[in-house]
Amino acid sequence: MPKVLLDNKEIDRALTRIGHEIIERNKGVEDLCLVGIQRGGVHLASRLAAKIAATEGLAKPIPMGSLDISFYRDDIRLRKHAVRRTEIPFPVEGRKIVLVDDVFFTGRSIRAALDAIMDLGRPAIIQLAVLVDRGHRELPIRADYAGKNVPTSMSETVQVLLEEEGFTEDRVVLVSPGEPEPGESGRGEGAGA
Amino acid sequence: MLKSRHLLGIKELQAEEIMLVLESASSFKDVLKRDIKKVPALRGRTVVNLFFEPSTRTRTSFELAAKRLSTDVVNFSAPSSSILKGETMLDTALTVEALGADIIIIRHASSGVPHMLASHLKASVINAGDGTNEHPTQALLDAFTINEKKGGIKGLKVAIVGDILHSRVAKSNIYCLKKLGADVRLIGPATLLPGEFRALGTDIFCDMDEGLRDVDVVMMLRLQLERQGKGFFPSTTEYFSRWGLSKKRLELAKKDVIVMHPGPMNRGIEIASDVADGANSVILEQVTNGLAVRMSVMFHLDERAGK
């Protein structure tokens, strides 16, 4: 069995804390918006948006978008699935954007996401929130908010299994090489890069 | 992922491959609406337009699609090329490949040329129209347009009208729409609509009024005027009166019918001006969608080329 790094309660607590940190760091929610990276990051971003709105007692949720980074990757020939939609229903110009991703690994996905956002306009600031930071950075990029730091070996994979993706219970698992993967193989994205 | 690194025809594709291209094309269409209408997806690759037959629209569409993917594009057209100096077509293609082309887009007046070249080249080959055989990217952009307008293709009644016999657009569209589950009917003069087309699973109508009844999509084909006087039809005036799409005739179709044409149009010969410019027409959207679909094709072929 793969090792469970975070169970559903721990995931929820981590997101609650990240939500508070985002509000604190940005001194409120003015101009704030969340952009989830397809696909795990999108679910986490909408959960964070709800938490931030609840904490601040907002009538309207925080503006939220989704970002597909396929066109900006440096390894498109390794991709396995169709291109998903990028939907950012607000101008990014001058906004405070918090990028949300499930697993933070080499940093290459984030590099691609930064380029993708820059092509949409010029935000005031971009911050990064991740559920799991598994290390092994290959680029000088760091997270502003992290749910959990987990030391891993390069050969392991980290999988974030969320209810929104059809799993019975939220979990983050560490899969060793040769172990059967709990998620379908197409989900390697968040885990791999 | 596509199964081949070439796009030679729709005949060779499976429904899932078609849907993959269409799905990603939606994302490319979003890119075309931005201020920065360009993505770095294929940066560093070289695309060559190798056109042995005159074409402005298709060539321009491929050229712009390639540029929007950040590739370098070179246009190579027959009249200005070494073909005139006696070089064989294969040598021309091999030369282009030796210059570093990753994707070669070919149009030729003879059917099967892209297939022949593909078997000799390491680069990806895209068929941009070969003789009377296929024009796969036109069919993909038509399917994308129908899917976008109608929210699906399965079960739709689609009429393809005109010179079916000589039309590579019609052939690719028949393959494509049948694979996606549409109900396809062909309408045209018997001289331009041989009965063998029934073998592709289509219905055939020589009477346009009968054929148009309750259709969801009308796809008009260009009447190839160069065939005039060869006995296929008496005159362009008579052609319009029997197989031209007039406003009155369009009323036989469903109320929300969409009218398509691959261009270039002959106004007043196969389609009336008020229909071409009317509320049901999606002709200009087809052109815009063509860019997105061709970007998607090149993107997915490139992904395949690395394997």
Side-chain angles (χ1 to χ4, degrees):
Chain A
M1 278 294 284
K3 186 181 165 199
V4 176
L5 299 175
L6 290 171
D7 63 21
N8 61 338
K9 282 215 176 67
E10 289 167 321
I11 290 173
D12 191 59
R13 281 187 209 120
L15 291 175
T16 307
R17 173 175 52 78
I18 291 174
H20 281 107
E21 286 177 3
I22 290 173
I23 301 167
E24 191 179 10
R25 171 92 63 98
N26 293 288
K27 300 185 172 64
V29 296
E30 200 185 339
D31 289 333
L32 190 71
C33 47
L34 302 181
V35 173
I37 299 178
Q38 293 275 22
R39 133 177 177 198
V42 178
H43 305 310
L44 296 174
S46 58
R47 291 190 194 187
L48 272 175
K51 283 184 184 295
I52 292 171
T55 307
E56 291 291 279
L58 303 176
K60 274 198 302 185
I62 302 281
M64 212 208 98
S66 62
L67 190 67
D68 185 288
I69 56 168
S70 306
F71 303 151
Y72 293 85
R73 294 185 76 100
D74 52 15
D75 58 352
I76 64 157
R77 288 182 174 175
L78 302 175
R79 238 166 27 81
K80 294 171 186 155
H81 55 76
V83 178
R84 301 194 174 93
R85 290 302 273 274
T86 289
E87 279 172 278
I88 301 198
F90 45 82
V92 299
E93 210 67 31
R95 303 300 280 264
K96 295 177 186 166
I97 292 184
V98 180
L99 263 180
V100 183
D101 204 0
D102 47 8
V103 180
F104 189 26
F105 186 21
T106 61
R108 289 178 190 269
S109 302
I110 305 304
R111 195 280 308 158
L114 291 173
D115 283 349
I117 289 184
M118 297 300 190
D119 275 0
L120 298 172
R122 186 179 187 278
I125 184 169
I126 302 178
Q127 298 168 348
L128 174 62
V130 298
L131 183 59
V132 178
D133 180 350
R134 60 166 295 188
H136 302 291
R137 218 74 72 230
E138 293 169 1
L139 296 171
I141 291 173
R142 56 157 183 77
D144 298 272
Y145 316 98
K148 189 180 173 73
N149 290 292
V150 187
T152 59
S153 86
M154 281 298 273
S155 58
E156 291 167 318
T157 51
V158 175
Q159 296 208 333
V160 176
L161 313 174
L162 299 176
E163 284 177 12
E164 290 93 327
E165 292 285 317
F167 292 97
T168 45
E169 201 176 77
D170 292 340
R171 268 177 313 154
V172 178
V173 296
L174 184 68
V175 185
S176 302
E179 251 183 333
E181 299 196 357
E184 85 273 354
S185 57
R187 181 172 335 229
E189 176 103 51
Chain B
M1 164 126 3
L2 298 178
K3 296 212 162 48
S4 166
R5 66 173 199 278
H6 307 295
L7 177 64
L8 302 177
I10 302 292
K11 197 177 181 178
E12 292 89 351
L13 290 184
Q14 291 179 346
E16 305 81 68
E17 296 178 278
I18 297 172
M19 288 316 292
L20 173 73
V21 170
L22 301 194
E23 215 175 295
S24 298
S26 307
S27 291
F28 283 111
K29 192 170 178 181
D30 291 341
V31 169
L32 296 172
K33 291 178 195 149
R34 309 187 320 201
D35 280 346
I36 299 177
K37 298 176 182 55
K38 192 168 185 154
V39 291
L42 264 59
R43 200 159 57 97
R45 312 261 201 279
T46 302
V47 174
V48 176
N49 268 324
L50 195 53
F51 277 56
F52 296 99
E53 208 186 46
S55 156
T56 313
R57 313 164 66 93
T58 306
R59 206 213 64 215
T60 309
S61 176
F62 268 113
E63 182 175 351
L64 210 45
K67 285 180 170 166
R68 302 283 195 228
L69 290 167
S70 304
T71 67
D72 295 306
V73 195
V74 181
N75 290 312
F76 200 96
S77 52
S80 62
S81 76
S82 330
I83 300 285
L84 288 178
K85 300 178 188 160
E87 188 176 58
T88 69
M89 194 166 46
L90 180 57
D91 282 334
T92 306
L94 288 170
T95 304
V96 164
E97 185 174 66
L99 287 170
D102 299 289
I103 299 178
I104 301 180
I105 297 158
I106 295 170
R107 167 167 287 195
H108 200 282
S110 302
S111 304
V113 167
H115 305 68
M116 186 277 280
L117 293 180
S119 66
H120 288 91
L121 295 172
K122 287 179 206 75
S124 289
V125 171
I126 299 177
N127 179 359
D130 63 326
T132 57
N133 179 41
E134 282 222 44
H135 189 353
T137 56
Q138 179 69 44
L140 292 170
L141 78 89
D142 287 341
F144 179 86
T145 307
I146 297 172
N147 194 39
E148 195 180 53
K149 288 284 159 193
K150 297 286 175 189
I153 290 179
K154 208 175 162 117
L156 289 183
K157 274 192 192 168
V158 182
I160 305 179
V161 188
D163 180 359
I164 312 282
L165 177 63
H166 300 103
S167 174
R168 52 195 176 207
V169 173
K171 244 156 269 164
S172 287
N173 262 308
I174 294 168
Y175 291 131
C176 187
L177 293 166
K178 291 300 291 180
K179 284 179 193 211
L180 299 179
D183 173 3
V184 182
R185 53 184 60 199
L186 310 175
I187 307 175
T191 48
L192 295 171
L193 183 44
E196 294 95 76
F197 277 90
R198 286 203 183 90
L200 299 176
T202 55
D203 292 321
I204 286 186
F205 293 87
C206 287
D207 180 339
M208 188 161 180
D209 291 353
E210 196 187 327
L212 281 184
R213 220 167 284 281
D214 292 328
V215 298
D216 299 280
V217 179
V218 187
M219 209 177 261
M220 300 304 297
L221 299 173
R222 183 175 72 90
L223 184 64
Q224 313 205 352
L225 292 173
E226 56 272 28
R227 306 198 193 285
Q228 225 207 313
K230 293 189 182 159
F232 287 110
F233 52 91
S235 71
T236 52
T237 322
E238 171 145 358
Y239 184 88
F240 182 75
S241 75
R242 296 196 58 182
W243 295 286
L245 189 62
S246 63
K247 206 162 190 176
K248 188 154 183 293
R249 213 165 240 160
L250 190 61
E251 284 168 10
L252 295 165
K254 286 208 181 119
K255 224 176 137 71
D256 61 349
V257 65
I258 57 170
V259 176
M260 308 176 77
H261 195 299
M265 278 187 282
N266 296 307
R267 286 171 185 265
I269 295 177
E270 71 259 2
I271 187 165
S273 263
D274 55 354
V275 174
D277 305 327
N280 300 81
S281 166
V282 297
I283 295 171
L284 288 174
E285 278 169 80
Q286 286 174 269
V287 179
T288 312
N289 292 341
L291 264 181
V293 167
R294 291 186 172 109
M295 285 171 84
S296 180
V297 166
M298 286 189 255
F299 179 75
H300 284 294
L301 288 181
D302 182 72
E303 184 175 78
R304 188 65 189 71
K307 297 283 154 181

